[in-house]
Amino acid sequence: MGGKQKTLVMLAGIALAAGLTSPAFGSGAAHSPAPATAATRSGTSVVEWNRELITILGDPKAQPATVQPTRSFALLQAAEYDAVVSITRSGPAYAFSVSAPRGARADAAADQAAHDVLVALYPAERAGVDRRLSSQLSAIPDGPDKQSGMTVGAAVARRLISLRSHDGSSAKPLRFRPGGKAGDYRPTPPDFPTPVFTDWGSVKPFVLTSGHQFRPAAPPAVSSAAYATALNEVKSLGSKTSTIRTPDQTAAAKFWAAAPVWNVWNQIAQNLVTSRNASLDQAVKVFARLDLSLADTTIAMYDAKYAYRVWRPVTALRLGGTHYNPHIVGDPHWTPLLTTAPDPSYPSAHAALSQAAATTLTGFYGARHHFAVTSKGTTRTYAGFQDAATEAWLSRTWSGQHTSIDNRAGQQLGTQVAGFVADHL
């Protein structure tokens, strides 16, 4: 049985077990079309809920540090998507559909679904989320159609949260034990933090069949010439005192490290949906495909990181004097431009996530699309999504975080995951 068929069988089984009314996404079952009201109503509310989540996540105490934020984005956007298509029948459901009477308001369904997911995930934020819902619903005329839409949204959110309640995301992370051989990951200076997402690769994916479905091949040995070439590039370009890194490369390195990379790509999507005056139907599709891709890429990326446990450039260079590779000259004082993230090097998260996002958005808007994105007060412009993704992964070499080996593996992984998600949604 192929990967797509396995996924469909798995999700169909889940749906039947939950007593849902329609098959899982990707089903070929025919639907009786309802009026396509979501094709003309604005997608602005979808953008507002996405912004609401980013605001919530701005509080480091909003959720446990062991829960990856991409999971929350996927739940939010999948709920809005399924709430809308339960009414419009404009596409296959992601997980399931619920019955909706003719005339039910899809925008009310999306708002209620978004609200209920965020309250379930962040109960301490309920007051602000309630205010957001009241504001959104106030623009929809009262009546049975509005109420029917709200009922649909609440049902979708409740069932989706239940579906993901035992996905492994709340499990206590495995205790990390650093290795002692050349190439083994170990905590990095200056603070030597303990890795957090040691078992996130075991979390149940949203669309993939497993976290290791697209696991990249093992990287070259740290004793190889290929590794020496890649590491020496980081040594010269990524050093805090580099004399060959350009001012723009330094600016790009700091830009892509200033905010979580999934936030940046969601903000890019927000700007696209807003500037294109996207309909509700189009908006939920863009965000669902983007954030399901980012969530599953994150799971797959952590699976690979902890399968291979490759040390970071700062460790490799500071231990270069141990002569594990004759083509590397160590420097016990080498320091990267930016502080190293607390997880193994291979593959690069920025490369994987940015490539997944660029692949997804290119599928909706085309390869050449001029846009600007602002992060922490700095704005950068791009001629296309791939240009932004490429800069994002190159920035990790310029900042001393990753080798080109890490980046290429991440780029491949993100492309594969996004393509798989697009085929199923």
Side-chain angles (χ1 to χ4, degrees), residues 216-261:
V222 297
S223 58
S224 67
Y227 183 75
T229 297
L231 184 64
N232 285 327
E233 180 184 35
V234 182
K235 182 180 181 181
S236 58
L237 273 174
S239 168
K240 190 170 185 176
T241 58
S242 174
T243 58
I244 65 171
R245 185 180 56 243
T246 69
D248 188 63
Q249 288 171 340
T250 300
K254 293 179 178 179
F255 174 86
W256 285 101
V261 67

Side-chain angles (χ1 to χ4, degrees), residues 263-300:
N263 281 12
V264 176
W265 284 103
N266 270 279
Q267 288 166 343
I268 290 171
Q270 291 171 11
N271 293 338
L272 287 165
V273 167
T274 301
S275 65
R276 291 294 188 93
N277 296 314
S279 67
L280 174 64
D281 193 66
Q282 179 75 357
V284 294
K285 289 177 181 177
V286 170
F287 278 105
R289 194 178 295 175
L290 171 65
D291 284 309
L292 288 168
S293 293
L294 289 176
D296 275 6
T297 298
T298 300
I299 293 169

Side-chain angles (χ1 to χ4, degrees), residues 53 70 80 124 131 138 159 177 186 235 250 256 258 304 324 328 336 367 399 408-409 415 419:
L53 176 55
T70 52
E80 288 189 85
R131 286 193 295 271
S138 67
R159 294 174 180 182
R177 299 180 183 277
R186 58 209 74 182
K235 182 180 181 181
T250 300
W256 285 101
Y324 64 86
I328 294 170
S399 63
R408 285 194 296 271
T415 300

Side-chain angles (χ1 to χ4, degrees), residues 56-114:
I56 291 171
L57 291 170
D59 179 358
K61 298 179 181 179
Q63 67 183 21
T66 55
V67 176
Q68 229 289 331
T70 52
R71 176 181 183 268
S72 300
F73 283 98
L75 282 167
L76 171 67
Q77 305 306 160
E80 288 189 85
Y81 174 85
D82 271 359
V84 170
V85 299
S86 287
I87 293 171
T88 66
R89 307 299 195 211
S90 59
Y94 155 64
F96 48 74
S97 295
V98 299
S99 297
R102 183 172 297 276
R105 291 288 298 243
D107 44 1
D111 288 333
Q112 190 69 53

Side-chain angles (χ1 to χ4, degrees), residues 334-403:
W334 188 87
T335 300
L337 172 65
L338 302 176
T339 301
T340 301
D343 51 48
S345 198
Y346 180 89
S348 162
H350 271 65
L353 293 167
S354 293
Q355 191 63 38
T359 301
T360 299
L361 295 178
T362 295
F364 283 104
Y365 297 105
R368 308 311 297 172
H369 185 92
H370 288 266
F371 66 95
V373 59
T374 299
S375 178
K376 303 296 183 180
T378 300
T379 300
R380 294 185 70 82
T381 58
Y382 304 96
F385 302 114
Q386 187 58 59
D387 291 348
T390 299
E391 183 182 88
W393 62 258
L394 285 173
S395 77
R396 305 309 278 170
T397 295
W398 301 333
S399 63
Q401 307 291 301
H402 285 289
T403 67

Side-chain angles (χ1 to χ4, degrees), residues 105-131:
R105 291 288 298 243
D107 44 1
D111 288 333
Q112 190 69 53
H115 167 274
D116 290 5
V117 165
L118 293 184
V119 167
L121 293 175
Y122 308 103
E125 303 293 330
R126 176 157 202 152
V129 176
D130 283 352
R131 286 193 295 271

